[in-house]
Amino acid sequence: MAAQKSGIHKGTNAGFKVEVRDTKPRISRTKGRLSKRTTFVREIVKEVAGLAPYEKRVIELIRNGKDKRARKLAKKRLGTFGRSKRKVDDLQRVIAESRRTAAH
């Protein structure tokens, strides 16, 4: 944000003195951010529907120690390698949770 103008014609802060107004962030800056409601609904759907068949296959590959093959399968299904890495990490979290619940 620019500094307060000095009111002098020349110099670093040259210009007419005006009140500096706070601007709200543009909607384009918040686009893509998930709302609380959306995350809640997706969580419920995941709970009710369970895992997709390809996710079950990826979990099996992870359990057998074939992480690279799991990432490749996820990439083929999801489109990009970044998405596949995120999905595999998420599924590893699911495996860890199931182990924790089975231990108790």
Side-chain angles (χ1 to χ4, degrees), residues 42-97:
R42 286 186 185 171
E43 194 177 300
I44 295 295
V45 168
K46 218 177 262 184
E47 237 177 76
V48 172
L51 297 171
Y54 86 93
E55 290 175 330
K56 290 175 184 171
R57 280 178 61 194
V58 169
I59 284 177
E60 277 305 310
L61 288 169
I62 293 168
R63 283 191 175 138
N64 294 333
K66 297 184 176 175
D67 287 8
K68 187 174 181 180
R69 174 60 58 192
R71 282 199 175 84
K72 283 177 99 173
L73 174 67
K75 183 196 175 292
K76 188 158 175 55
R77 294 283 186 255
L78 298 171
T80 66
F81 197 65
R83 288 177 189 166
S84 73
K85 285 198 290 190
R86 200 175 322 127
K87 176 60 81 173
V88 169
D89 291 341
D90 190 41
L91 292 173
Q92 282 176 335
R93 219 173 302 115
V94 168
I95 292 170
E97 270 184 41

Side-chain angles (χ1 to χ4, degrees), residues 5-72:
K5 300 291 183 185
S6 63
I8 300 172
H9 181 50
K10 299 274 187 200
T12 51
N13 296 323
F16 192 79
K17 281 187 177 181
V18 291
E19 181 185 342
V20 179
R21 300 176 69 192
D22 289 330
T23 55
K24 287 197 294 186
R26 291 171 180 254
I27 294 169
S28 62
R29 298 287 180 205
T30 60
K31 189 175 180 189
R33 185 176 294 153
L34 293 176
S35 65
K36 290 178 191 173
R37 181 189 168 95
T38 308
T39 51
F40 175 70
V41 169
R42 286 186 185 171
E43 194 177 300
I44 295 295
V45 168
K46 218 177 262 184
E47 237 177 76
V48 172
L51 297 171
Y54 86 93
E55 290 175 330
K56 290 175 184 171
R57 280 178 61 194
V58 169
I59 284 177
E60 277 305 310
L61 288 169
I62 293 168
R63 283 191 175 138
N64 294 333
K66 297 184 176 175
D67 287 8
K68 187 174 181 180
R69 174 60 58 192
R71 282 199 175 84
K72 283 177 99 173

